[in-house]
Amino acid sequence: MSTARLARCRLYGFIDTTYVDELDPGEVTRDLLAGGVDILQVRAKERSHAERVDLGLKVVSAAFPSHAPVIIDDDIEAAFECGADGVHLGQEDWAAIPREQRAERLANMRIVGISTHSLEQALAAERDGASYIGVGPVFPTATKPGVASVGTDLVRQVAAQVKIPFFAIGGITLDNIGQILEAGATRVAVVSAILRSSDVTETSAEFKRRLVAVR
Ligand code: TZP
Ligand code: MG
């Protein structure tokens, strides 16, 4: 579960079928990358395995010239079948894989990301060998409705105690990213504020400028 390629990744963008359903996924991928997105996730919660593989193939192929890692949400087998770099797992998906089976199940994944919602989960994911973690939802978000937000205090604690790369996620916009950076995050994952904007490339570029301005 290598973290070397992740060290340079600051802005995590998404091909989330909630927001890009009507659009060409290859085009959205290129628009995100043109704006400076460093790492991409295919998030297709309501899709079948076959549809996820098909979508993953389009994103992997569009991202290929950029060398940006492509991560598939939830579906380890889909990640393998579409040639993605890795998989992102939530706490429940991760806990559902018996510890003694993890190495074998994830053997083909160069990158394994885990969602975390507390300092304990963040430290456990680091101990368990995650390549990176997501920390959030920092703010309430329609992309993950009904989930309690964790606030910037958790970002501050994780920044102080976790050594692997972490991406703050959840309700992050150009209006509140300053609070995230002030809390010590150097990486953010952004779904709706980018995908729902009128110019995906320019909005991504503005997020990237804010990130690189701090450190
Ligand atoms: N995990 C924690 S919050 C979240 C995920 C996938 C949703 C982030 O979406 P948005 O639209 O950037 O709030
Ligand atoms: Mg999941």
Side-chain angles (χ1 to χ4, degrees):
M1 301 185 196
S2 147
T3 56
R5 294 174 74 193
L6 283 163
R8 290 187 300 275
C9 294
R10 308 287 300 276
L11 180 58
Y12 199 151
F14 289 72
I15 313 295
D16 185 323
T17 50
T18 319
Y19 299 110
V20 301
D21 212 22
E22 307 300 316
L23 304 170
D24 171 0
E27 202 175 310
V28 179
T29 300
R30 285 185 289 274
D31 287 349
L32 288 164
L33 292 168
V37 162
D38 302 299
I39 172 170
L40 289 156
Q41 183 178 131
V42 175
R43 189 168 184 266
K45 295 266 180 221
E46 314 302 329
R47 300 297 175 91
S48 68
H49 171 77
E51 287 169 329
R52 223 173 271 128
V53 173
D54 184 55
L55 182 57
L57 284 168
K58 289 177 177 142
V59 173
V60 166
S61 134
F64 182 74
S66 73
H67 304 286
V70 175
I71 309 298
I72 308 293
D73 184 40
D74 282 343
D75 190 333
I76 302 169
E77 283 69 35
F80 177 61
E81 287 166 39
C82 72
D85 297 272
V87 69
H88 185 92
L89 299 174
Q91 283 290 316
E92 285 174 15
D93 311 312
W94 180 242
I97 309 175
R99 191 167 282 277
E100 63 279 7
Q101 289 176 24
R102 282 181 188 162
E104 192 188 334
R105 286 287 309 281
L106 297 164
N108 294 307
M109 300 294 109
R110 284 188 288 278
I111 296 173
V112 177
I114 299 179
S115 297
T116 67
H117 319 291
S118 67
L119 182 62
E120 292 68 32
Q121 290 176 358
L123 292 167
E126 179 175 55
R127 268 197 314 275
D128 285 345
S131 315
Y132 73 85
I133 54 173
V135 176
V138 180
F139 302 116
T141 171
T143 309
K144 237 182 151 89
V147 177
S149 52
V150 298
T152 51
D153 278 353
L154 181 59
V155 174
R156 212 175 294 281
Q157 290 168 13
V158 171
Q161 298 193 42
V162 172
K163 291 179 188 60
I164 59 171
F166 81 89
F167 293 85
I169 184 167
I172 300 176
T173 66
L174 287 169
D175 289 332
N176 63 26
I177 188 174
Q179 297 173 52
I180 303 274
L181 299 173
E182 196 271 324
T186 57
R187 300 176 173 84
V188 296
V190 181
V191 186
S192 52
I194 290 178
L195 292 179
R196 296 184 71 189
S197 72
S198 56
D199 187 334
V200 163
T201 298
E202 184 40 41
T203 305
S204 304
E206 186 56 31
F207 272 105
K208 191 65 175 288
R209 283 192 283 272
R210 305 285 183 92
L211 285 164
V212 298
V214 276
R215 58 183 85 80

